[in-house]
Amino acid sequence: MADRISSDHPSVQTVRSTCTETATGVRLEVPADDRDAFPTDEVVRVVLDGDECFARVERALTGDDLSIPGIYDTPDLARDPTGATDRLADWVDDHGVAMGGSVLVDVIEPEFLYGLRSPGETVYYDAHEPPSSSLQDIASDLEEQ
């Protein structure tokens, strides 16, 4: 069983992102100062209210900022969200996050597992190790076929 870890644990880095509106929904803007905590153009796991989902972290069109343009139920939907339901939009609505408001992104396991929460909220996550790189390579190869 995975260990539980709280969002205020010293091993959890927290990044303050900004919720912005897009033509198709919302996205989270990650400041350039915190970009080292995220892999660029990779799919990562993101915990939303206890549910493990997936997101693709993208480099912003201008500058060094990164963005999380949506959160989806599967890695494939995170890569190609055409017609998929964006769980981020619902989460923002459910938590009353205003456009231009802050969303805290907890870095539970860098480049693998992240969590979202509202400022001032404490969340508990199931912390687990990412698969070994050889297992990740096999999974990536299978997903590409």
Side-chain angles (χ1 to χ4, degrees):
M1 181 168 184
D3 292 331
R4 305 266 307 151
I5 188 168
S6 71
S7 54
D8 59 1
H9 189 275
S11 68
V12 175
Q13 175 187 355
T14 300
V15 173
R16 184 175 296 271
S17 68
T18 303
C19 184
T20 60
E21 192 168 15
T22 67
T24 58
V26 298
R27 86 166 133 232
L28 300 179
E29 300 291 341
V30 177
D33 292 347
D34 295 309
R35 70 178 172 268
D36 291 344
F38 300 87
T40 305
D41 296 324
E42 296 289 328
V43 173
V44 296
R45 296 167 192 258
V46 179
V47 178
L48 294 178
D49 295 332
D51 293 333
E52 197 168 284
C53 303
F54 300 87
R56 188 163 181 256
V57 181
E58 298 178 349
R59 185 169 304 283
L61 296 176
T62 57
D64 291 328
D65 292 351
L66 298 178
S67 70
I68 300 171
I71 298 176
Y72 303 92
D73 289 325
T74 68
D76 286 340
L77 292 175
R79 286 184 197 92
D80 180 13
T82 307
T85 300
D86 181 3
R87 302 271 308 265
L88 177 59
D90 291 338
W91 186 89
V92 165
D93 286 343
D94 291 347
H95 289 263
V97 177
M99 290 306 111
S102 293
V103 172
L104 301 180
V105 182
D106 292 323
V107 182
I108 302 153
E109 182 66 40
E111 300 190 13
F112 176 71
L113 183 61
Y114 300 82
L116 295 189
R117 64 187 170 96
S118 299
E121 179 181 34
T122 300
V123 175
Y124 292 86
Y125 302 108
D126 289 330
H128 46 87
E129 301 264 333
S132 70
S133 63
S134 60
L135 289 176
Q136 285 178 314
D137 294 341
I138 292 169
S140 294
D141 289 345
L142 290 174
E143 286 178 357
E144 291 174 5
Q145 293 178 2

